[in-house]
Amino acid sequence: AFAPVLGRMSCPGKPRIHLTGGGAKAPGLSDLLAAQLAVPVSVSDDPALDVARGVGTCLETWRFSNEADRNCRLGKAPPQTG
């Protein structure tokens, strides 16, 4: 089940897993995954902060997408980023 994900998330020929989010620091999880999947597993230094950053990115992308769509329907130029 993890093979397709590993191929997309890693360097070619070097599959690995990087855990982040709420359960990333669950005791023994990284060791269990590494043993069961036979790939290196690392854990984020601050999994909760990674999630917060990801949510922020998603919200900003969603906001920009909605604004661009609304402007397109109204015949306005797309919003500027940055």
PDB file of all heavy atoms in Angstrom, residues 25 44 50 65:
ATOM      1  N   LYS A  25       5.077  11.293  16.318  1.00  0.00           N
ATOM      2  CA  LYS A  25       5.947  10.989  17.456  1.00  0.00           C
ATOM      3  C   LYS A  25       5.387   9.885  18.351  1.00  0.00           C
ATOM      4  O   LYS A  25       5.823   9.708  19.479  1.00  0.00           O
ATOM      5  CB  LYS A  25       6.220  12.261  18.246  1.00  0.00           C
ATOM      6  CG  LYS A  25       7.102  13.222  17.468  1.00  0.00           C
ATOM      7  CD  LYS A  25       7.751  14.254  18.345  1.00  0.00           C
ATOM      8  CE  LYS A  25       8.733  15.055  17.513  1.00  0.00           C
ATOM      9  NZ  LYS A  25       9.529  15.968  18.321  1.00  0.00           N
ATOM     10  N   SER A  44       9.732  14.232  11.760  1.00  0.00           N
ATOM     11  CA  SER A  44       9.892  15.679  11.761  1.00  0.00           C
ATOM     12  C   SER A  44      10.302  16.175  13.147  1.00  0.00           C
ATOM     13  O   SER A  44       9.893  15.614  14.159  1.00  0.00           O
ATOM     14  CB  SER A  44       8.576  16.340  11.352  1.00  0.00           C
ATOM     15  OG  SER A  44       8.668  17.728  11.464  1.00  0.00           O
ATOM     16  N   ASP A  50       4.556  21.567  11.348  1.00  0.00           N
ATOM     17  CA  ASP A  50       4.430  21.175   9.939  1.00  0.00           C
ATOM     18  C   ASP A  50       2.966  21.173   9.505  1.00  0.00           C
ATOM     19  O   ASP A  50       2.628  21.638   8.418  1.00  0.00           O
ATOM     20  CB  ASP A  50       5.015  19.784   9.707  1.00  0.00           C
ATOM     21  CG  ASP A  50       6.507  19.726   9.909  1.00  0.00           C
ATOM     22  OD1 ASP A  50       7.157  20.788   9.900  1.00  0.00           O
ATOM     23  OD2 ASP A  50       7.029  18.613  10.085  1.00  0.00           O
ATOM     24  N   SER A  65      -7.232  30.773  -5.209  1.00  0.00           N
ATOM     25  CA  SER A  65      -7.986  30.087  -6.252  1.00  0.00           C
ATOM     26  C   SER A  65      -9.400  30.658  -6.355  1.00  0.00           C
ATOM     27  O   SER A  65      -9.902  30.921  -7.447  1.00  0.00           O
ATOM     28  CB  SER A  65      -8.031  28.593  -5.962  1.00  0.00           C
ATOM     29  OG  SER A  65      -8.827  27.922  -6.899  1.00  0.00           O
TER      30      SER A  65
END
